Amino acid sequence: MTRIRRLLFFHNFAFAAPSLEVTVRGFCTRAAPLDFTQIQINRLPTVVILGRPNVGKSALFNRLIRRREALVYNTPDDHVTRDIREGIAKLGDLRFRVLDSAGLEAEASSGSILHRTASMTANVLARSNFALFLTDARAGVHPLDLEVGKWLRKHAPQIKPIVAMNKSESLFDANDSLATAANEICRLGFGGPIAISAETGLGMHELYVSLRPLLEDYMLRVLNDEGDHENSHDEDSSNLDVDKSKLPLQLAIVGRPNVGKSTLLNALLQEERVLVGPEAGLTRDAIRTQFEFQGRTIYLVDTAGWLQRTKQEKGAASLSIMQSRKSLLRAHIIALVLDAEEIVNAKRSMKHAEVVIARRAVEEGRGLVVIVNKMDLLRGKHKSLSYEKVMEAVPQEIQTIIPQITGIPVVFISALEGRGRSTVLNQVIDTYEKWCSRLPTARLNRWLQKVMSRHSWKDQAAQPKVKYFTQVKARPPTFVAFVRGKTQLSQTDIRFLTKSLKEDFDLGGIPIRIMQRSVTKKDTSETSKNSHSVGRVVAERIVSDKRSILAE
């Protein structure tokens, strides 16, 4: 009971004093003044969460990163998590990279989903620094727990995992049930377990106490090996004036099931990070990972297959659909993946679900890149004609389906063969830089004088007098036209200005928004002097079927 009371005490006052003297596995230590919050993400230690299925690994992952990113669903007959999910854990003043893995079943049949996920977990474990072995306190030592222990000793003998008993909140009673469960878990041979509850947050301080010395020792070794590298990096990063187009890029890979989204993610990362296979709907979680390309940081999200949500979609499948829609709203650039073989068979580029994705991306003001995958299936003597037809017809049909955006980039690849990786990333970066572009006001007004003179007005007397034109926002580029008098720009005029902006400033392939405001003679001079007030104007909006949005 003393241990239980101490757990409850620290649960209420967790992390209040990081320099507190604590007892860790029989020896006394004082927290060193190592500030994990100041260490670069790519240099932080990596902790992977392991265990048999349905012990609460994803719930603990969400608790550590303080967000509900991983899908959590009570399904004893199925395994929700299938891929490796990565995040930055925030445990008090500790920071480390945490990996959520799929449930391990060492005796799974060869070729099955569980066997493939175990192989993927083994590859990630080889690159990890520490492991957290999670068990279910209510079930005691399950036979699968013993198998996971054997599997861990075989694949990572250099790692001594920290054992944690999850779901232990129900064992805090007067019958010493928690102590009995802890004694049973010791049979795994990895030392005494920590009693935690990922759902309620109970026992997080005990986890903090166990992890702190291990992570500190690791970081001190890393910093000592690197020497003065950290100081030189800090000097190089002292410039705080950063171009927005150089900030981390959020890229979401979306599309219908089984078009090759996960294969594309593995090709972009150049490693087997997510599960792929012939089965439709393998991906459930929206897997978010980070990598570098040509000195630029890219956050990449692989979503589950985009489906129309129906009453038949329940449980984990329903949660996957909702998560895919949220990922689209968070991204900067949307990579819409199409299946080349389906295009040939259906004799059209996009099905209804893909049209919905593309139009949703445009409505939300996101950059759009269309990727036609599985082009390798069209090569051959009898399909060479189809190969050429697809490359010619798809861009034309996409322009017809989405007339609001001209010049949507289309990339033809084979993710399975690894062909087209650089082309995809270069196109994504090019679209992102256009999406972040900002044009000087003086240049815009010089352009306005030229473009208005070549526009054919139906009624010269009723021609609107555009006195001022400026960009008030990027991501996507948003402009305001100050019109003198009561005459407003028509939709034809706005479309003309939008088209001219894209052609003259090379802004094709991204949404452009133009708002207008009426000004009188009195405030015309004030407007020219106070251009910063433009961002507070009230724009005229066009009512769409989804919601009130600005003219594209």
Side-chain angles (χ1 to χ4, degrees):
M1 292 301 294
T2 303
R3 177 182 175 85
I4 297 173
R5 291 192 187 97
R6 185 157 57 93
L7 278 173
L8 291 172
F9 174 83
F10 282 125
H11 173 62
N12 295 327
F13 299 93
F15 322 130
S19 60
L20 180 69
E21 188 172 83
V22 294
T23 300
V24 185
R25 295 185 179 179
F27 62 92
C28 185
T29 182
R30 182 175 295 275
L34 182 61
D35 189 356
F36 282 82
T37 62
Q38 301 300 318
I39 300 174
Q40 291 179 335
I41 293 177
N42 57 354
R43 297 161 69 189
L44 289 173
T46 303
V47 178
V48 58
I49 304 175
L50 301 170
R52 63 180 176 86
N54 302 314
V55 292
K57 297 183 295 299
S58 294
L60 179 58
F61 176 85
N62 288 341
R63 169 68 60 178
L64 291 174
I65 67 171
R66 301 184 184 179
R67 289 195 306 273
R68 292 185 177 272
E69 281 196 1
L71 292 182
V72 178
Y73 191 76
N74 186 14
T75 168
D77 298 328
D78 196 7
H79 314 309
V80 176
T81 302
R82 290 174 175 172
D83 302 300
I84 304 297
R85 174 182 283 277
E86 179 180 346
I88 302 300
K90 301 175 182 178
L91 189 61
D93 58 348
L94 285 181
R95 297 293 183 272
F96 54 91
R97 297 167 64 187
V98 59
L99 303 179
D100 178 26
S101 64
L104 286 171
E105 287 192 14
E107 302 299 327
S109 59
S110 178
S112 65
I113 292 178
L114 287 174
H115 180 79
R116 283 142 58 192
T117 56
S119 300
M120 192 164 54
T121 302
N123 294 333
V124 173
L125 182 62
R127 301 192 300 271
S128 300
N129 307 113
F130 305 99
L132 185 60
F133 187 176
L134 203 62
T135 63
D136 188 337
R138 297 176 300 185
V141 176
H142 193 279
L144 287 178
D145 291 328
L146 297 174
E147 291 183 8
V148 172
K150 294 178 182 178
W151 182 92
L152 190 56
R153 291 186 181 91
K154 176 182 178 181
H155 290 86
Q158 77 284 1
I159 294 180
K160 182 179 180 181
I162 296 175
V163 182
M165 300 187 304
N166 192 27
K167 308 177 184 179
S168 60
E169 68 277 7
S170 61
L171 301 182
F172 282 79
D173 52 35
N175 298 323
D176 289 336
S177 300
L178 185 63
T180 302
N183 291 332
E184 187 177 358
I185 296 296
C186 288
R187 290 171 50 199
L188 295 174
F190 295 111
I194 302 170
I196 67 170
S197 172
E199 189 67 27
T200 65
L202 188 67
M204 289 298 106
H205 185 270
E206 286 288 319
L207 182 60
Y208 169 88
V209 168
S210 298
L211 282 174
R212 176 95 199 189
L214 300 177
L215 301 185
E216 278 186 346
D217 290 344
Y218 170 83
M219 284 310 309
L220 289 174
R221 289 197 303 269
V222 170
L223 295 177
N224 290 335
D225 292 341
E226 292 181 354
D228 296 332
H229 175 72
E230 183 179 2
N231 295 331
S232 63
H233 178 82
D234 292 339
E235 294 175 359
D236 295 338
S237 60
S238 59
N239 185 12
L240 299 179
D241 187 14
V242 181
D243 184 4
K244 282 189 176 181
S245 63
K246 303 302 180 183
L247 294 176
L249 188 161
Q250 306 272 355
L251 173 63
I253 302 176
V254 298
R256 294 185 303 103
N258 213 29
V259 296
K261 299 183 296 299
S262 297
T263 307
L264 174 60
L265 180 135
N266 287 337
L268 295 179
L269 296 178
Q270 295 183 317
E271 64 173 296
E272 295 297 323
R273 188 57 179 273
V274 293
L275 188 66
V276 298
E279 302 92 343
L282 274 180
T283 301
R284 286 178 171 171
D285 279 289
I287 303 303
R288 187 174 187 268
T289 187
Q290 172 186 345
F291 72 105
E292 301 285 333
F293 179 75
Q294 296 181 354
R296 181 188 297 272
T297 300
I298 299 178
Y299 291 105
L300 185 59
V301 180
D302 175 29
T303 64
W306 188 285
L307 294 170
Q308 294 301 315
R309 195 178 179 191
T310 63
K311 293 182 179 180
Q312 286 74 25
E313 296 292 344
K314 296 180 181 180
S318 178
L319 295 175
S320 297
I321 296 171
M322 296 170 60
Q323 197 178 58
S324 296
R325 283 153 172 73
K326 291 180 181 179
S327 298
L328 184 143
L329 299 179
R330 295 173 182 169
H332 299 150
I333 306 297
I334 306 299
L336 174 58
V337 183
L338 309 179
D339 188 330
E341 191 172 37
E342 287 188 359
I343 291 175
V344 172
N345 296 334
K347 297 183 179 180
R348 60 175 181 174
S349 299
M350 290 186 178
K351 295 187 177 181
H352 175 71
E354 293 159 339
V355 174
V356 169
I357 298 172
R359 290 179 176 171
R360 181 74 61 84
V362 170
E363 288 179 2
E364 297 295 336
R366 304 298 187 259
L368 179 65
V369 176
V370 177
I371 300 175
V372 182
N373 190 26
K374 303 184 183 181
M375 291 297 291
D376 55 298
L377 300 180
L378 303 186
R379 289 199 302 266
K381 297 181 180 180
H382 303 289
K383 295 186 178 182
S384 58
L385 186 60
S386 299
Y387 191 94
E388 300 296 333
K389 280 186 176 181
V390 168
M391 297 189 67
E392 179 181 356
V394 170
Q396 297 177 359
E397 188 173 346
I398 290 175
Q399 187 60 66
T400 304
I401 295 173
I402 314 172
Q404 306 98 316
I405 308 296
T406 57
I408 294 177
V410 182
V411 183
F412 300 88
I413 68 166
S414 171
L416 184 63
E417 297 179 347
R419 294 172 51 247
R421 175 181 183 268
S422 298
T423 305
V424 169
L425 292 175
N426 286 327
Q427 186 61 69
V428 166
I429 291 174
D430 180 65
T431 303
Y432 178 69
E433 290 178 346
K434 291 180 180 179
W435 191 67
C436 295
S437 61
R438 184 176 288 276
L439 303 174
T441 300
R443 185 181 177 190
L444 281 172
N445 283 284
R446 288 194 300 268
W447 163 83
L448 181 65
Q449 293 178 358
K450 296 179 181 179
V451 78
M452 294 298 281
S453 63
R454 70 173 185 250
H455 184 41
S456 57
W457 303 94
K458 293 183 179 180
D459 186 357
Q460 294 294 332
Q463 175 181 341
K465 304 295 183 183
V466 183
K467 303 300 295 181
Y468 195 71
F469 197 82
T470 186
Q471 183 176 355
V472 295
K473 180 180 171 294
R475 304 159 65 97
T478 304
F479 304 87
V480 171
F482 289 86
V483 184
R484 188 173 68 183
K486 297 182 179 180
T487 306
Q488 295 288 300
L489 294 171
S490 65
Q491 294 308 307
T492 302
D493 302 333
I494 292 178
R495 284 194 295 268
F496 169 75
L497 291 175
T498 301
K499 181 179 179 182
S500 300
L501 277 170
K502 292 182 177 181
E503 292 176 351
D504 297 340
F505 296 105
D506 190 26
L507 297 178
I510 61 171
I512 290 181
R513 295 171 173 176
I514 297 180
M515 306 181 290
Q516 54 182 319
R517 180 192 178 193
S518 298
V519 294
T520 62
K521 293 182 179 180
K522 294 182 180 180
D523 56 18
T524 300
S525 59
E526 296 179 1
T527 303
S528 61
K529 293 180 182 179
N530 302 292
S531 59
H532 63 275
S533 63
V534 174
R536 295 190 295 269
V537 300
V538 179
E540 288 196 355
R541 296 177 180 266
I542 301 170
V543 179
S544 71
D545 55 344
K546 174 65 178 175
R547 65 178 187 175
S548 179
I549 62 171
L550 299 173
E552 300 293 330

